[in-house]
Amino acid sequence: MRGSLIILFSWWVIPFVLLGCTISTMATEQQFVTIALGTAGGLTEANLSSYLLAPVGSTDFVALDAGTLLTGLQHANTKGNLADIVVPPESPLSVEGQVLTQHIKTYLISHAHLDHLAGLVLNSPDDTSKPILGLSATIDPLRDHLFNGRIWPNFGDEGSGVLLKKYHFVRLQPGVEQAIAGTSMTVKPFALCHAGVPSTAFLLQANGAYALYFGDTGPDDAEHCDNLHRVWQAIAPLVQQGHLRGMFIEISYPNGRDLSHLYGHLTPEWLMTELHRLAALVQPQRPTDALRGITVIVSHIKPTLQRVQPERDQIRQQVESLNDLGLRFIFSGQGDRIVF
Ligand SMILES: [Zn+2]
Ligand SMILES: [Zn+2]
């Protein structure tokens, strides 16, 4: 009797389970794949900001910043996350070399700080020809102070020294959408404030879905600027329409720093303050429902020289305890593959 009741219940419930699965699959259709090449913001030379991004099903990547490239690819390979990369039998390249030279189609650089550029510079002798995209405020110092024929050969197509012209500098205009060469994605940049250094957020689009990548940024209150507010205003309609799949944004430090010691960065409290501002723009009546389910990949956590490294766990616990918006926070390891 008990067995037949269970069977009866099971048959009755199956159509609803199937219906539920269909609805949730539709609502959470994954659009982007990212491979984390570098997830921290300094000190550790081999794990600096960089993420590969492609539409799901594609291996034509844009590199979002390029602090660490080869070491990140090695971690990804060790973790089995480059399994869909095909190296032609006649090629002498390693799988990491194949990705670096053939699958990274374009670099998008958020700002000119070294922790976002070191991997690009160090891998440039063995890289292939491709564009480097950024605002003029990023491209000009890269041309003048890195690829200048003095501290490194000039692999660019502008500036001083012998021009090797491997990289083509492309200056993006704030708020203007542009195709990303070699991929099916577009990018629209927004200026950010980062302790006096111009930084950038990139809004990436593929098949009508959007991902938002932030370079380093402080909160508007500390930076005395309104650039984050402008980004929230620009993306609020995309969130309302359900087109924003996720964002990459920094949390450099745990809570407890006063505004004068943020140095152009965010803490869990300040990130949640800013995301509440976005939520209020998206759904003024019910802001706590506005961002539910959106993926937030946390980047740029700063290691310390202390024997115990509490930052990562501490930041994770702090931001989760403040997460009253139903956000899907992801603290990725180096080489991880995330689909969202
Ligand atoms: Zn940085
Ligand atoms: Zn920076």
Side-chain angles (χ1 to χ4, degrees):
M1 181 63 187
R2 212 171 121 198
S4 59
L5 264 181
I6 289 170
I7 290 166
L8 191 66
F9 174 76
S10 305
W11 279 108
W12 179 79
V13 86
I14 280 172
F16 293 90
V17 171
L18 289 177
L19 182 67
C21 286
T22 312
I23 289 170
S24 73
T25 307
M26 280 162 56
T28 60
E29 200 176 337
Q30 295 171 317
Q31 301 286 350
F32 292 99
V33 58
T34 184
I35 298 175
L37 300 187
T39 63
L43 294 199
T44 310
E45 302 94 330
N47 188 14
L48 300 171
S49 290
S50 183
Y51 295 83
L52 301 186
L53 184 78
V56 162
S58 170
T59 54
D60 294 332
F61 294 105
V62 62
L64 303 164
D65 282 328
T68 296
L69 295 176
L70 184 54
T71 308
L73 289 169
Q74 289 165 340
H75 281 278
N77 192 32
T78 302
K79 290 181 173 181
N81 288 332
L82 301 181
D84 54 350
I85 301 298
V86 178
V87 184
E90 68 277 13
S91 169
L93 290 173
S94 63
V95 66
E96 295 93 339
Q98 178 75 11
V99 176
L100 184 80
T101 61
Q102 307 301 317
H103 292 266
I104 296 178
K105 302 295 185 181
T106 295
Y107 296 101
L108 265 180
I109 305 297
S110 67
H111 65 300
H113 277 159
L114 273 180
D115 56 321
H116 300 253
L117 283 166
L120 168 61
V121 173
L122 294 174
N123 283 282
S124 56
D126 290 77
D127 202 357
T128 46
S129 184
K130 54 192 76 162
I132 299 176
L133 275 54
L135 298 180
S136 296
T138 303
I139 298 292
D140 291 352
L142 177 55
R143 173 200 62 197
D144 295 341
H145 304 298
L146 284 175
F147 290 125
N148 62 6
R150 286 189 294 237
I151 70 164
W152 202 254
N154 190 345
F155 286 101
D157 58 354
E158 297 177 20
S160 59
V162 178
L163 301 186
L164 300 172
K165 299 185 180 176
K166 180 176 281 189
Y167 298 124
H168 173 48
F169 294 129
V170 178
R171 288 168 180 77
L172 302 172
Q173 301 298 320
V176 178
E177 187 174 7
Q178 180 166 330
I180 301 175
T183 77
S184 56
M185 295 178 281
T186 64
V187 59
K188 186 191 283 189
F190 298 91
L192 296 175
C193 296
H194 174 43
V197 173
S199 182
T200 319
F202 296 117
L203 180 64
L204 298 123
Q205 181 271 139
N207 304 317
Y210 290 82
L212 183 59
Y213 176 85
F214 285 87
D216 297 358
T217 181
D220 281 352
D221 301 59
E223 296 287 328
H224 307 293
C225 88
D226 63 352
N227 280 352
L228 277 178
H229 180 68
R230 288 165 186 262
V231 175
W232 303 144
Q233 281 181 312
I235 67 159
L238 298 177
V239 181
Q240 285 164 346
Q241 294 153 19
H243 295 326
L244 184 78
R245 298 295 315 155
M247 65 177 82
F248 304 73
I249 193 161
E250 68 139 281
I251 303 181
S252 291
Y253 305 117
N255 290 330
R257 285 175 179 253
D258 61 49
L259 283 184
S260 61
H261 288 82
L262 287 175
Y263 308 114
H265 294 296
L266 294 171
T267 62
E269 277 175 353
W270 277 112
L271 175 59
M272 289 307 297
T273 298
E274 288 292 349
L275 290 175
H276 271 275
R277 290 172 179 163
L278 170 61
L281 289 173
V282 172
Q283 269 196 53
Q285 310 304 324
R286 298 183 64 184
T288 50
D289 290 338
L291 307 182
R292 209 158 280 286
I294 290 179
T295 296
V296 180
I297 297 168
V298 176
S299 65
H300 210 267
I301 295 169
K302 280 189 177 289
T304 70
L305 291 178
Q306 293 165 20
R307 200 180 313 131
V308 179
Q309 292 287 325
E311 277 67 24
R312 194 183 164 85
D313 292 342
Q314 199 181 358
I315 285 173
R316 180 177 214 150
Q317 183 265 322
Q318 288 175 352
V319 80
E320 286 294 4
S321 73
L322 294 168
N323 181 14
D324 54 355
L325 296 175
L327 293 155
R328 176 193 178 219
F329 279 103
I330 293 183
F331 285 72
S332 62
Q334 193 174 22
D336 283 359
R337 180 189 183 94
I338 303 144
V339 183
F340 63 97

